[in-house]
Amino acid sequence: MQSTLQKAFSPDLFRQQAHNLVDILADYLEQSQNGSLETVIPYKDPEESLAFWQEDYQQGQGDVAEFFSKTIQYSNHLHHPRYMGHQVTPPVPISALAGMLSNMLNNGMAVYEMGLVSNPLERILSELLAKKIGFDENASGLLTSGGTLANLTALLAARAAKTDVWEEGNNERLAVMVSEEAHYCIDRAARIMGMGNEGIIKVPTNELLQIRTDLLGQYYQEATDKGLHVIAIIGSACSTSTGSYDDLEAIATFAQKHQLWFHADGAHGGAVVFSDKYKHLVRGMNQADSVVIDWHKMLMAPALITAVIFKRNDDAFKTFQQKAQYLWANQHSKDWFNSGKRTFECTKLMMSVKVYAILKAHGEQIFTDNVEYLYDLGKQFAALVKARPNFELALEPESNIVCFRLKSESGLLNELNANIRKRLLEEGKFYIVQTTLGENLYLRVSLMNPLTKETDLIALLDEVERLGTLVAS
């Protein structure tokens, strides 16, 4: 008679459960595409959702297939073509299968013996991105868990390159320069690094919400006069709220003039390096010292998988210089195959396997096709908005992020559009978000699903108009 542990590891049981799960997920994909999945997001009040799952938990051990089905039923459905919310991709199905594989093998990556496959694959993927960015053979990088951690890693490398904080401690008031429209994780990283309010120099943006490069000299001088040591400047490629790209060439020139570390946050929009059509948006990125690009945004991999690419691979090893005798004999050797020397994570997931599986199954062209289709779709949606007199754009989109709103004779546009977004969330037929630009609230779409079509965009505008009438009455 099998013990509980023996049964849990039964190959036959796993084969049965895995086949059932694949069938459930395949049905979900089919329903997402054929229109039978009625809601994108089955929204519930947080307390109601908690109560539902508490009741499920109290029922104790049960049918795991039923749990899998419930998880799908009550989750946000990113594979639905009317998912247009946050900047998270509907993963290519093959990458989910790679996730099952890597989760079962559960190899870490801190040392080569634990990352026999994932460490070499990580190097291959890093060098692929480095080449696409335009770096030479001295460049390479690493994978880490998300853009927030990736940007922090890059800024820590910048600090290591400009100061000796690691050994001597922070004896200076350090600072970084960044657009006021940059992702909040840059602000968070600077605060984690002890820079405080004054150390985060937020430069105003122009009418396109791009950093004003004409003000860089003024803001740099003001910081220097306060006794701050500016170590880095960050360019957004693109910004989170609007998808606007900073002028990376101008930032690179400024960084070189003042001997600053130039970091390009391309978590979302850096993926255009795979597209000849849109690569001009990141002109100047090849002059950056470090670049961040999320594989889990425009490059179709499951979250979280983010690349940090360094122009000089040696810079990656200066960030974390610690003795760990039980892991490696020489902490100063630059071993690309010992991932723990360059990242926060030691037992890092086999994330490279998921990305490599996409390349192996579909080739590099799938990344190009996805970026170009979704960026084209952003322009298409903007044209549809402008063709309707009751709507207005915040600005012409450069990416697949589009901000728009319904107009009203009442003039209470912020309240009107916030209520429309609330009703959309409650009804669940579409999933979009909202953002505030200056004092104005806009509805915001991130077109992340390559199965989204023009008919879905028209239907969204129709629904916004319908709800606008209901809200106003």
Side-chain angles (χ1 to χ4, degrees), residues 237-297:
C238 51
S239 67
T240 303
S241 294
T242 62
S244 300
Y245 284 80
D246 287 343
D247 185 343
L248 301 184
E249 282 190 308
I251 295 172
T253 300
F254 179 81
Q256 291 163 9
K257 177 181 178 180
H258 295 280
Q259 297 183 319
L260 304 179
W261 181 283
F262 172 26
H263 174 60
D265 179 7
H268 180 90
V272 296
V273 297
F274 284 96
S275 167
D276 289 339
K277 182 176 183 179
Y278 287 107
K279 193 173 183 178
H280 68 275
L281 293 168
V282 291
R283 191 177 294 118
M285 180 178 276
N286 63 336
Q287 300 177 61
D289 297 289
S290 56
V291 177
V292 160
I293 297 177
D294 283 346
W295 288 99
H296 63 265
K297 286 192 169 71

Side-chain angles (χ1 to χ4, degrees), residues 44-119:
K44 292 181 181 294
D45 176 89
E47 294 301 324
E48 182 184 358
S49 181
L50 176 61
F52 175 84
W53 288 109
Q54 283 175 332
E55 181 180 352
D56 183 86
Y57 175 72
Q58 289 165 3
Q59 292 172 3
Q61 183 177 339
D63 183 358
V64 73
E66 181 183 358
F67 164 67
F68 290 153
S69 295
K70 285 181 180 178
T71 299
I72 294 173
Q73 181 182 353
Y74 295 108
S75 292
N76 200 327
H77 302 132
L78 277 64
H79 290 85
H80 196 297
R82 295 183 177 182
Y83 171 88
M84 307 172 189
H86 292 287
Q87 296 154 268
V88 184
T89 190
V92 178
I94 192 64
S95 65
L97 294 180
M100 180 184 290
L101 169 68
S102 61
N103 287 346
M104 176 63 86
L105 296 178
N106 205 31
N107 283 201
M109 292 182 60
V111 293
Y112 176 63
E113 295 98 297
M114 286 299 295
L116 296 171
V117 173
S118 47
N119 273 310

Side-chain angles (χ1 to χ4, degrees), residues 35 60 129 182 240 270 288 294 315 358 375 410 417-418 447 464:
L129 277 184
T240 303
D294 283 346
D315 285 325
I358 300 173
Y375 272 48
S410 70
N417 284 275
L447 301 170
V464 169

Side-chain angles (χ1 to χ4, degrees), residues 154-218:
L155 292 183
L156 288 171
R159 186 177 69 177
K162 301 298 180 181
T163 67
D164 192 18
V165 170
W166 192 263
E167 295 293 339
E168 298 181 5
N170 196 350
N171 298 315
E172 297 181 280
R173 295 168 61 205
L174 304 179
V176 296
M177 299 179 67
V178 67
S179 160
E180 63 184 3
E181 284 293 323
H183 192 274
Y184 69 88
C185 73
I186 301 294
D187 182 285
R188 178 178 291 179
R191 293 180 189 278
I192 289 171
M193 294 167 67
M195 295 184 188
N197 283 328
E198 285 198 329
I200 307 161
I201 304 165
K202 294 188 177 181
V203 182
T205 56
N206 60 22
E207 66 279 1
L208 300 178
L209 299 179
Q210 303 158 326
I211 192 169
R212 285 189 57 182
T213 55
D214 60 309
L215 296 179
L216 295 180
Q218 172 189 331

